[in-house]
Amino acid sequence: NDSFFFTQDVAFFIKWLLFVVSPQSPEAQRLLNIARELLHTEEAYVKRLNLLDQVFCTKLTEAAIPQDVITGIFSNISSIYCFHHKFLLPELKTRIIGEWESNPRIGDILQKLAPFMKMYGEYVKNFDRAMDLVNTWTQRSSLFKSVVQNIQQQAVCGNLTLQHHMLEPVQRIPRYELLLKDYLKKLADDAADRKDTEKALELISTAANHSNAAIRKMEKMHKLLEVYERLGGEEDIVNPANELIKEGHIKKMSAKNGTAQDRYLYLFNNMVLYCVPKLRLMGQKFSVRERIDIAGMEVQEIVKQNLPHTFAIIGKQRSLELQARTAEEKEDWIQVILATIERHKQNSETFNKAYNSSFSREDDHQLTGVGPRSNGAAVSGNLLPSSGGNGNFDKEKQTCKGCNESFNFTKRKHHCKSCGAAICAKCSKSLDNKTSRVCPECFDASVSLEGFLACGDQKRKAATEVISDPVSFHVIAEPVNCLLCGYLQLQDKGKSWSKMWAGVAKAESLVLYLQSSGQDMKGARAVPLPGFEVTVVSPPLSDKSDAKHAFRLTHGPQTLVFAAHDGELLAKWVELLTKASRGESPTDGAGATQTDHRKSQ
């Protein structure tokens, strides 16, 4: 047996060697080079996914970090790793190394597997929250921080942080898009691979748009994190509303003796941080001396013969006389600050118009027995203590209950949804995804109530949760477009049975689409089938319901139970889904007939 496998390995190596050195036409060689680059980058990418799923995620799980935190950080990375490790990479390797001479194409592979790129939508959508969880747990949990740092010190990490590796899946889809565009440019108009490549590019470009937006957010957050670290973690910098506009060294003119002192300025969209350099062996650090709001700020140019390149920042809290190194640097600071002030004014005016139009409605609002929740449930009004007696808002209060500062057009007044006290955004607490704002006292009292804890401790949905895909659903609404389609009974997460339209399209034979109505395109869900286990469910003898011909789809924590109309349809669904779960494309022979369609009704 060993000699057999050795012979196979040698044969594969010889084929690979001939593949590398074989002569090619210039056009064919360019296509081959792109294919090789795709394979090389895919191999490196799978190693990164392995690091995230099999190392970071596994080690944190073994360290008893709460499962909902791990799921919140890594989302569906396990499914993404499984798809690339077991399906995409092996097919690319077989085609590009073993079959390229007889079948030089990659578009058909990518077109077939491109629908699975939809699973990146879940990862990208969760990305901001994942970054917040990593930052929060690094600061608050010494165990979490220790596990992550120990892994980051290993050679496999390449001196890169967990956050850097988490960005890899977000960046991967745009790279597929760039490679396919380059590949398509070099394909002949009549090439056999052109149609498949165009279709694959169309599907991947849609997913890339979401990834590009997440990359821009991540770059912005990286800048804020750098500032946060340089300031020793003392300032509230890492906030999605903050935007770093300009930073740099500057001189501060002493009011006492007129001497120039080395200082550092950070200009944000809403404030200026005036900092003092601190001596450190590793990297430049600063401490914040003054924080000046952009609101109400003015900039004045100062002309002094003995002190060139000076200007003044005049704010509500503090005024500073500063000196730039050159006239150009001074002009740049003045223009950028003026532009920031103007943009802040425009944003404030827009906000004030909307705020004033809704202010009377907010003040007239009375607490009722039920409040809104982001998940569609309700918060009972009597869960929280009320110091206001009847729950009316504190209409006349013009200072914050927490910090006692006056409200203005930048410091907006909110009301505690329990006692009605006037509070600012900084002093308020949120019960559920920022939709139920309360004061700190009411928040502290509420967390001891078992009922609120039961509502608030909702774990994130499983990593393999299905995703929205209304674009492709119109295809499965018509039986002629499907390998199999019709109504099934669905039991998801142990809930009661519900009637769903299910279908596997001929064009996307490895994806199961689900919809509550065969004519409604809203809320369609797509389940990538590879990796799922398909089993027939034997109903208990006492079961008198219609859900007797049942089967189960299982992938990790995700379980979906279906029931067909009769045993014949059950067998068809199980056969088709079993093939798709192994990554095999089912043939039209397993498709739906008009009789099957009518029976499913």
Side-chain angles (χ1 to χ4, degrees):
N1 289 336
D2 292 341
S3 61
F4 170 78
F5 286 114
F6 176 77
T7 304
Q8 292 293 97
D9 291 340
V10 170
F12 187 82
F13 173 75
I14 293 174
K15 183 178 289 188
W16 175 84
L17 188 62
L18 291 173
F19 162 76
V20 171
V21 301
S22 60
Q24 300 277 344
S25 67
E27 295 78 9
Q29 185 63 46
R30 282 192 287 268
L31 292 173
L32 176 56
N33 290 340
I34 296 172
R36 286 175 178 170
E37 182 180 355
L38 174 61
L39 177 60
H40 174 72
T41 57
E42 185 69 15
E43 289 173 332
Y45 177 54
V46 168
K47 291 180 180 178
R48 290 287 181 88
L49 292 177
N50 179 274
L51 177 64
L52 285 172
D53 183 49
Q54 301 296 310
V55 182
F56 277 108
C57 187
T58 299
K59 294 296 183 183
L60 289 171
T61 301
E62 293 173 353
I65 300 298
Q67 186 58 46
D68 58 334
V69 175
I70 293 175
T71 302
I73 292 174
F74 296 100
S75 187
N76 60 336
I77 196 66
S78 181
S79 298
I80 294 174
Y81 171 60
C82 178
F83 163 66
H84 287 271
H85 174 60
K86 293 184 177 180
F87 296 97
L88 182 54
L89 179 59
E91 290 212 26
L92 289 176
K93 188 177 293 185
T94 300
R95 174 64 57 79
I96 297 172
I97 295 179
E99 303 173 353
W100 191 262
E101 288 186 5
S102 60
N103 193 14
R105 56 193 300 188
I106 58 174
D108 58 332
I109 294 176
L110 293 175
Q111 189 273 336
K112 179 180 69 173
L113 296 178
F116 295 101
M117 302 296 181
K118 296 169 186 173
M119 71 175 68
Y120 277 85
E122 182 69 19
Y123 187 90
V124 172
K125 183 174 65 176
N126 183 66
F127 188 70
D128 287 346
R129 180 175 182 270
M131 291 290 103
D132 290 339
L133 280 173
V134 172
N135 294 332
T136 299
W137 277 78
T138 299
Q139 295 173 23
R140 298 181 180 178
S141 171
S142 58
L143 176 60
F144 182 95
K145 183 177 181 180
S146 175
V147 172
V148 171
Q149 286 183 342
N150 287 338
I151 299 173
Q152 288 176 168
Q153 291 171 359
Q154 297 176 15
V156 68
C157 271
N159 295 320
L160 298 174
T161 63
L162 169 60
Q163 292 95 322
H164 183 97
H165 292 294
M166 289 172 63
L167 185 59
E168 281 288 314
V170 180
Q171 295 174 324
R172 185 58 183 163
I173 300 298
R175 288 174 181 169
Y176 287 132
E177 183 183 30
L178 292 175
L179 282 170
L180 273 181
K181 285 180 178 179
D182 194 21
Y183 181 78
L184 199 58
K185 288 179 182 178
K186 294 172 174 56
L187 271 178
D189 292 339
D190 58 348
D193 205 19
R194 173 166 283 277
K195 185 176 181 181
D196 287 334
T197 303
E198 289 174 343
K199 177 63 176 176
L201 179 59
E202 178 184 346
L203 294 170
I204 290 175
S205 294
T206 302
N209 292 334
H210 300 289
S211 295
N212 287 329
I215 291 172
R216 289 191 291 270
K217 284 186 177 181
M218 187 57 190
E219 290 173 346
K220 174 183 172 182
M221 292 298 290
H222 268 313
K223 292 181 180 179
L224 296 178
L225 279 169
E226 290 175 1
V227 177
Y228 177 81
E229 292 171 356
R230 296 178 80 180
L231 298 179
E234 298 177 0
E235 291 292 321
D236 183 18
I237 299 297
V238 186
N239 186 318
N242 290 343
E243 179 184 355
L244 178 62
I245 297 174
K246 182 176 174 62
E247 63 175 294
H249 289 276
I250 201 127
K251 296 283 187 180
K252 159 67 171 58
M253 310 311 299
S254 173
K256 294 181 179 180
N257 52 27
T259 58
Q261 303 164 328
D262 289 328
R263 295 292 184 263
Y264 201 87
L265 280 189
Y266 286 106
L267 173 64
F268 293 87
N269 58 318
N270 57 352
M271 63 183 170
V272 169
L273 296 184
Y274 164 64
C275 306
V276 178
K278 297 169 66 176
L279 294 177
R280 288 289 185 272
L281 294 177
M282 298 296 291
Q284 179 76 64
K285 299 287 184 180
F286 304 98
S287 61
V288 178
R289 181 66 59 86
E290 295 288 347
R291 178 171 178 157
I292 308 174
D293 291 340
I294 291 294
M297 180 183 290
E298 297 179 7
V299 182
Q300 292 183 358
E301 185 174 2
I302 300 175
V303 179
K304 293 183 179 180
Q305 293 183 351
N306 58 331
L307 293 173
H309 320 314
T310 57
F311 63 99
I313 293 177
I314 303 172
K316 291 183 178 180
Q317 301 92 338
R318 171 76 186 273
S319 296
L320 300 173
E321 187 174 333
L322 305 171
Q323 182 183 35
R325 289 172 292 188
T326 65
E328 291 77 11
E329 186 179 272
K330 168 190 170 180
E331 183 65 19
D332 187 44
W333 271 112
I334 292 176
Q335 293 303 320
V336 171
I337 295 174
L338 286 173
T340 304
I341 293 172
E342 181 61 27
R343 188 172 68 168
H344 188 275
K345 285 181 179 178
Q346 293 175 357
N347 292 340
S348 297
E349 289 172 359
T350 302
F351 165 77
N352 283 336
K353 289 179 182 178
Y355 175 54
N356 291 332
S357 65
S358 63
F359 189 83
S360 59
R361 292 196 299 271
E362 180 179 295
D363 274 353
D364 291 340
H365 176 71
Q366 300 289 323
L367 280 178
T368 60
V370 176
R373 286 176 66 88
S374 63
N375 61 359
V379 177
S380 175
N382 59 12
L383 276 180
L384 301 177
S386 174
S387 62
N390 61 2
N392 288 331
F393 286 137
D394 186 358
K395 298 182 182 179
E396 303 302 326
K397 190 72 172 178
Q398 297 303 315
T399 58
C400 174
K401 176 183 177 182
C403 62
N404 205 34
E405 293 184 9
S406 299
F407 299 111
N408 52 47
F409 66 93
T410 59
K411 191 177 186 67
R412 184 183 177 187
K413 177 167 68 174
H414 301 275
H415 293 94
C416 173
K417 299 302 181 184
S418 177
C419 68
I423 48 176
C424 68
K426 188 175 181 181
C427 294
S428 65
K429 301 283 187 178
S430 297
L431 292 183
D432 186 18
N433 197 23
K434 300 184 179 179
T435 59
S436 301
R437 193 186 298 273
V438 295
C439 67
E441 289 81 356
C442 292
F443 180 86
D444 292 339
S446 70
V447 296
S448 62
L449 297 176
E450 182 178 354
F452 172 71
L453 286 176
C455 294
D457 189 27
Q458 296 180 349
K459 295 185 178 180
R460 282 189 54 80
K461 54 187 176 179
T464 54
E465 181 62 86
V466 291
I467 55 178
S468 298
D469 181 34
V471 176
S472 301
F473 180 68
H474 68 279
V475 177
I476 66 161
E478 298 294 335
V480 69
N481 297 323
C482 298
L483 294 172
L484 189 60
C485 66
Y487 282 107
L488 293 173
Q489 295 291 330
L490 168 65
Q491 188 180 54
D492 187 3
K493 300 179 181 178
K495 299 178 182 178
S496 59
W497 292 96
S498 58
K499 191 175 183 180
M500 300 288 288
W501 180 270
V504 176
K506 295 178 182 178
E508 300 180 29
S509 59
L510 302 182
V511 180
L512 172 65
Y513 287 94
L514 301 172
Q515 174 61 33
S516 57
S517 169
Q519 306 303 322
D520 184 7
M521 291 169 56
K522 294 183 179 180
R525 303 191 300 177
V527 184
L529 293 169
F532 272 86
E533 181 182 355
V534 185
T535 54
V536 177
V537 179
S538 299
L541 296 176
S542 59
D543 188 2
K544 297 182 180 181
S545 67
D546 295 332
K548 295 180 179 179
H549 307 286
F551 61 94
R552 181 187 295 114
L553 291 180
T554 307
H555 188 297
Q558 173 73 6
T559 299
L560 301 172
V561 182
F562 298 91
H565 178 73
D566 55 30
E568 182 181 352
L569 281 177
L570 170 66
K572 286 180 176 290
W573 277 109
V574 170
E575 179 185 2
L576 184 143
L577 297 179
T578 299
K579 290 182 178 180
S581 69
R582 295 196 295 258
E584 302 174 6
S585 296
T587 62
D588 289 351
T593 65
Q594 293 298 324
T595 302
D596 294 334
H597 175 62
R598 287 193 296 270
K599 286 171 66 177
S600 70
Q601 306 295 318

